[in-house]
Amino acid sequence: MIRLEAIRREFQVGGEPVHALNGVSLTVERGEYLSIMGPSGSGKSTLLHIIGLLDRPTAGRYWLAGRNVTGLSDQERALIRREKIGFVFQLFHLVPRLTAAQNIELPLTLDGLPPEKRTDRVQSILAAYGLAARARHLPNQLSGGERQRVAIARAAVTRPEILLADEPTGNLDRASGREVIELLERLNHEGLTLILVTHDPELGSRARCRLQMRDGCLLADGEAR
Amino acid sequence: MRATDILRFALQALRGYPVRSWLVLLAMAIGVAAVVLLTALGEGARHYVTGKFASLGSHLLIILPGRSETTGGHPPILGETPRDLTLDDAFALLRSPRIERVAPVVLGSAPASWQRREREVTVIGSTSAFRRVRHLDLAEGDFLPIMEPRSAPAICVLGATVRAELFGPERALGQWVRLGDRRYRVIGVLTPQGQSIGLDLDEVVIIPVTSAQALFDSPSLFRVLAEAKTREDIASAAADVREIIRHRHEGEEDVTVITQDAVIATLDRIFQALTLAVGGIAAISLVVAGILIMNVMLVSVSERRQEIGLLKALGASGGKIQVMFLTEAALLSLTGAFLGLGLGLLGVWTGRELYPVLPLAPPPWALVGALAVGLGAGLVFGVLPARRAASLDPVQALAGR
Ligand SMILES: Nc1ncnc2c1ncn2[C@@H]1O[C@H](COP(=O)(O)OP(=O)(O)O)[C@@H](O)[C@H]1O
Ligand SMILES: [Mg+2]
């Protein structure tokens, strides 16, 4: 499903190159549940952004579902993000002026789905995630756990193949964090490929496949290749 | 993304910043309203003035003694003084088959009195044709009768104000009014005519032309009014007039012929240019409104970086984000422009109610132009912010950087 080969990512900071990723190679099978752990600044988010086609590697090659996506144009990358990839962020990133339902509807709207179909799908996912009573609430009227569940619903409503979660519990208390993780795992059970970035070893250890990152390199803990 | 969804999204975004959106709407609305109002004013003035000239009479030619140098031609030969226009000159014009009637005009002022009341009046000496040429209506009695032009009966027709001030509620018809050292019997009174290009016809006393020549002791005419048979005849009638006068004045074409058409056409051009200039100046405010839209959109883009990053993460391409932000700018300018159109038309309507004399009417090109320039400015100045939004790096934008 995902194959990275010697991926490097450099940033220029005041003329000095910063190596966020130092030749990362990685294969992730379809339906995998992968956790990436490691200290802050080790390159976890950068890796996730590259996998999610939000960022481009400085060097290396990337195949997604058998297709070389290394040199694609912005437009082609946007299309793949829309069709195949869902993101869940630490800071939720809900649009503040839109209700929970409208936030979940947003990717379907971007897809150009007809309104009736959108409403159906939004309603059923709201019900499935226990958010039906919150449909008309604005993000600032929701608890942290509810916001993240809305964000997950938004990522899942387009039925992507890959779900990328960057510290999804980082801003939550333990109980809501557990709810969020259980929701993500449920999606994984339904067949989604799940990549979870966290620095919480307890959460990370729940994954079938666990990777450690240090200074832009994957450590051979688990199935790193 | 569907067009209706893009619109709704833009609308929701604009409602998210109501104060800012209203300010921009206001700026655009004021600009459009200014264009509408100012061009309406210009058009109103144009209609008012040309209308006044048209009301002088149809197919009118005005013949003045002396050659006007404004049309170029030879510089005057030293020592040459223009010949006076005489009654014979005036009636000679009737030889032209294109001239329907001729009204010689003598003008002067004299004290007018009846019993103990006295006031200064403008005295016009003319013939019965004057009434037809100037489209005068009578409130009482008759106008100067058709008669042998050189007879000088002591009769007069009073302007409305003169009648009111000399006679008050008393009967004027048949009374004898004193003008200078002569007395004239009142045979008619004009209806109120109002100001008409430099001459207040309510303040005049009209007497037969020969009587006026005697009163002012001068054979020369102030001018001659002639009426062409049809509108198409005006130009050739003017040529005939010059030809006849040259013949009578030993080869000197020492008169100026003003056709009403030419005057109206010139005024028309002047006022149209004026309207255009005023409208153009007002249109600058539309460009200012466009710049304001750009400013507001730039602020909006930088405040909504995270939202833009999210949209990109959700799979919106740069092009789509550009369209979304451009739609916001277009919505702002379009709404503002229509708001301004409404305001402007309301202003025009109010102006018409308050000053019915001035036919305020915004020209259609100004309405279309104001809308187009407003919308255009919004779009042109919306491109930069929209491009900026589209080109944001998604990772940086999500981080709010
Ligand atoms: N836009 C950037 N500009 C410069 N340096 C960056 C940028 N993004 C990340 N980095 C650097 O790359 C390294 C990895 O960052 P990141 O992937 O965010 O780490 P993590 O998510 O594991 O905390 C860090 O040293 C960070 O400072
Ligand atoms: Mg991180």
Side-chain angles (χ1 to χ4, degrees):
Chain A
M1 183 78 206
I2 295 169
R3 187 147 70 89
L4 302 180
E5 233 179 60
I7 294 288
R8 311 181 67 82
R9 180 67 168 103
E10 275 180 22
F11 293 104
Q12 295 292 328
V13 180
E16 293 283 311
V18 173
H19 299 278
L21 295 177
N22 266 323
V24 171
S25 296
L26 171 70
T27 304
V28 182
E29 300 301 335
R30 191 178 293 272
E32 185 69 86
Y33 177 10
L34 174 76
S35 72
I36 302 175
M37 286 169 287
S40 179
S42 56
K44 307 183 295 293
S45 297
T46 306
L47 180 60
L48 210 63
H49 292 146
I50 285 178
I51 294 175
L53 292 173
L54 278 180
D55 199 3
R56 292 168 186 269
T58 317
R61 280 180 295 177
Y62 175 15
W63 285 267
L64 182 65
R67 178 180 179 199
N68 187 342
V69 294
T70 319
L72 293 186
S73 71
D74 281 345
Q75 193 139 3
E76 291 167 313
R77 285 141 51 90
L79 186 67
I80 296 177
R81 285 200 297 271
R82 209 164 83 196
E83 291 181 340
K84 291 197 158 65
I85 299 170
F87 286 96
V88 178
F89 304 98
Q90 178 176 359
L91 296 175
F92 323 127
H93 285 307
L94 300 178
V95 179
R97 60 175 181 278
L98 301 182
T99 64
Q102 287 170 333
N103 265 288
I104 297 171
E105 191 181 359
L106 193 53
L108 302 176
T109 310
L110 287 172
D111 260 345
L113 225 65
E116 324 80 58
K117 277 197 183 165
R118 299 200 305 243
T119 323
D120 286 352
R121 272 164 79 169
V122 170
Q123 291 310 322
S124 61
I125 206 163
L126 277 167
Y129 288 25
L131 290 165
R134 297 274 176 262
R136 292 168 171 280
H137 290 204
L138 291 174
N140 62 13
Q141 299 164 331
L142 300 174
S143 73
E146 287 167 335
R147 287 187 214 181
Q148 196 60 300
R149 274 186 284 154
V150 170
I152 294 171
R154 181 181 63 194
V157 76
T158 54
R159 297 165 190 158
E161 296 171 26
I162 304 167
L163 199 61
L164 305 173
D166 192 352
E167 315 250 16
T169 62
N171 270 23
L172 303 178
D173 57 64
R174 283 205 93 69
S176 349
R178 182 160 296 274
E179 272 178 33
V180 161
I181 290 294
E182 280 166 2
L183 191 52
L184 290 172
E185 288 174 356
R186 194 166 103 198
L187 288 166
N188 175 246
H189 276 300
E190 290 164 10
L192 237 76
T193 311
L194 175 63
I195 302 182
L196 175 69
V197 163
T198 177
H199 54 244
D200 182 342
E202 192 193 321
L203 289 181
S205 63
R206 296 166 67 109
R208 266 194 302 279
C209 171
R210 297 172 293 275
L211 296 179
Q212 289 286 334
M213 272 201 97
R214 288 275 186 288
D215 299 328
C217 294
L218 278 179
L219 301 184
D221 169 359
E223 294 179 68
R225 267 159 241 170
Chain B
M1 203 168 174
R2 298 163 164 249
T4 51
D5 289 329
I6 294 177
L7 266 179
R8 204 161 38 119
F9 189 84
L11 215 62
Q12 269 172 332
L14 293 177
R15 279 209 303 256
Y17 310 91
V19 175
R20 214 188 279 164
S21 302
W22 274 108
L23 278 178
V24 173
L25 286 187
L26 200 64
M28 184 56 79
I30 288 173
V32 171
V35 172
V36 171
L37 277 176
L38 288 175
T39 53
L41 211 62
E43 276 290 283
R46 181 170 78 89
H47 284 303
Y48 177 78
V49 170
T50 55
K52 277 284 176 191
F53 267 84
S55 75
L56 281 179
S58 50
H59 326 324
L60 188 66
L61 288 88
I62 303 169
I63 299 122
L64 313 173
R67 175 151 188 159
S68 159
E69 293 300 329
T70 54
T71 52
H74 309 289
I77 298 157
L78 218 61
E80 185 197 31
T81 45
R83 239 167 294 245
D84 285 338
L85 274 174
T86 64
L87 263 186
D88 289 332
D89 289 336
F91 291 119
L93 300 181
L94 284 171
R95 288 209 302 267
S96 162
R98 293 167 184 106
I99 289 179
E100 177 78 30
R101 56 178 69 84
V102 163
V105 176
V106 168
L107 194 77
S109 70
S113 60
W114 181 69
Q115 293 181 352
R116 311 192 64 92
R117 283 174 232 169
E118 179 173 323
R119 60 159 294 167
E120 196 72 14
V121 298
T122 304
V123 176
I124 292 178
S126 193
T127 63
S128 63
F130 188 74
R131 177 184 178 191
R132 301 288 296 276
V133 173
R134 293 295 305 262
H135 301 288
L136 302 178
D137 288 321
L138 289 160
E140 304 169 39
D142 298 307
F143 198 71
L144 302 177
I146 297 169
M147 57 193 171
E148 153 56 27
R150 257 157 270 271
S151 67
I155 50 177
C156 69
V157 175
L158 304 183
T161 309
V162 175
R163 186 233 178 277
E165 291 188 4
L166 287 186
F167 292 92
E170 278 158 86
R171 187 176 164 78
L173 282 188
Q175 302 292 338
W176 289 82
V177 169
R178 178 175 287 280
L179 287 177
D181 55 357
R182 292 156 194 258
R183 294 181 351 129
Y184 301 83
R185 192 164 55 82
V186 177
I187 59 163
V189 177
L190 298 177
T191 54
Q193 307 285 326
Q195 188 78 23
S196 165
I197 313 302
L199 187 63
D200 188 347
L201 282 169
D202 295 341
E203 306 266 341
V204 299
V205 173
I206 301 169
I207 59 177
V209 60
T210 321
S211 309
Q213 284 174 323
L215 178 65
F216 297 120
D217 194 22
S218 156
S220 65
L221 298 180
F222 173 62
R223 60 187 51 171
V224 177
L225 304 179
E227 195 177 292
K229 285 205 165 110
T230 67
R231 199 184 160 82
E232 290 70 41
D233 283 337
I234 292 176
S236 36
D240 286 356
V241 167
R242 287 194 199 93
E243 182 57 41
I244 292 167
I245 296 292
R246 182 162 55 223
H247 191 74
R248 295 179 53 83
H249 289 190
E250 286 126 27
E252 296 290 343
E253 193 187 306
D254 53 2
V255 290
T256 301
V257 182
I258 301 172
T259 64
Q260 191 188 345
D261 262 20
V263 172
I264 291 176
T266 306
L267 284 172
D268 210 61
R269 275 201 304 279
I270 292 173
F271 274 93
Q272 232 155 28
L274 208 71
T275 305
L276 208 67
V278 167
I281 291 169
I284 292 175
S285 63
L286 291 178
V287 176
V288 174
I291 293 174
L292 192 65
I293 287 182
M294 174 164 76
N295 211 11
V296 159
M297 292 303 299
L298 281 176
V299 170
S300 179
V301 166
S302 86
E303 276 183 7
R304 287 157 65 193
R305 299 171 84 81
Q306 300 207 350
E307 175 187 331
I308 294 164
L310 171 83
L311 288 171
K312 290 201 157 183
L314 292 180
S317 62
K320 191 174 287 176
I321 286 171
Q322 193 170 334
V323 169
M324 290 163 84
F325 275 82
L326 216 48
T327 305
E328 282 185 35
L331 218 55
L332 276 179
S333 50
L334 198 67
T335 316
F338 273 103
L339 204 68
L341 201 63
L343 278 179
L345 291 177
L346 190 73
V348 167
W349 181 81
T350 313
R352 271 207 292 248
E353 293 290 303
L354 291 180
Y355 307 100
V357 194
L358 199 60
L360 285 178
W365 60 260
L367 299 184
V368 175
L371 281 182
V373 172
L375 184 60
L379 281 179
V380 166
F381 288 106
V383 165
L384 181 73
R387 284 234 170 120
R388 182 164 293 183
S391 67
L392 283 182
D393 174 62
V395 174
Q396 300 284 335
L398 275 167
R401 263 176 276 161

